[in-house]
Amino acid sequence: MEQIDALIERHMAFIVRTVSGCTGRYVSVEHDDSFSIALIAFAEAVRRYDPQRGNFLAYAGLVIKSRLRTFLEQENRRAGEASLEELQESGREFAAEPADESSLREEIAAYQEELSLFGLTMETLADQAPRHRDTRDRAVDVARRSSEEPRVVEHTYRKRKLPVREVSRVCGVTEKIVKDSKVFILGTMLVFVKKFPGLLSWIRGARCNHDR
């Protein structure tokens, strides 16, 4: 164990860099579950390493990434289920649940990966969702129309942010309207762009329910 501790200390920068690369965010050494998983994986790699496997750090990196992927997938599933409840509490409801619950979980996981490209989470969307029905419906309409404009979509993915001025021009609304709901518009636009069937049903069903 003393040797493992010494190796961890010597390769701390490598471990942090690997975790950061896998999670796409800053890593807190003291308060980050992902970092704890990486330390356990690194110790596992030390114990299981065979020189015939090649470079040790390359092998350790593979073990860390494998364990982190498993951990993050489990966390995403739990967060997705909780976040759906938060979004429903903010005023949105599913018109109908998809027949296959496992496909919905996979869809949510894929959506969360898409959101992560822009530094967003479903929790963020729940917090940023407009509270007033009219504002929310207008934001959804802006998101849908923006998703149909290739230039807007290309710019969004290339710059990793919503082009407020372009969206304003395309949708015929003021820049202030777009800015006030830009996080929610971006998150909803990704649903339309990727055509997630369950989430699209949710969005469309919620609007129909509001119109009744």
Side-chain angles (χ1 to χ4, degrees), residues 87-156:
L87 284 170
Q88 287 171 335
E89 290 173 1
S90 75
R92 293 189 165 283
E93 297 179 353
F94 277 106
E97 289 289 341
D100 187 351
E101 290 187 7
S102 65
S103 66
L104 175 59
R105 287 196 295 269
E106 291 173 2
E107 191 174 310
I108 291 171
Y111 181 46
Q112 288 177 312
E113 288 184 12
E114 205 69 20
L115 288 172
S116 70
L117 296 175
F118 301 86
L120 299 178
T121 64
M122 291 185 71
E123 289 85 352
T124 305
L125 293 187
D127 291 339
Q128 297 289 331
R131 301 307 172 191
H132 295 290
R133 186 186 70 186
D134 292 344
T135 305
R136 192 163 53 243
D137 286 348
R138 181 171 56 190
V140 170
D141 188 57
V142 169
R144 177 188 59 78
R145 294 170 65 183
S146 297
S147 73
E148 297 169 353
E149 289 290 331
R151 276 203 315 180
V152 171
V153 174
E154 187 277 332
H155 180 106
T156 299

Side-chain angles (χ1 to χ4, degrees), residues 3-29:
Q3 291 177 336
I4 289 178
D5 288 343
L7 282 170
I8 287 175
E9 187 68 28
R10 186 186 311 168
H11 297 295
M12 184 65 70
F14 163 78
I15 297 172
V16 170
R17 189 166 59 249
T18 303
V19 176
S20 181
C22 197
T23 61
R25 57 175 171 75
Y26 169 78
V27 177
S28 170
V29 174

Side-chain angles (χ1 to χ4, degrees), residues 55-67:
N55 180 273
F56 168 70
L57 288 185
Y59 171 68
L62 290 175
V63 176
I64 291 172
K65 290 174 184 177
S66 175
R67 300 297 175 266

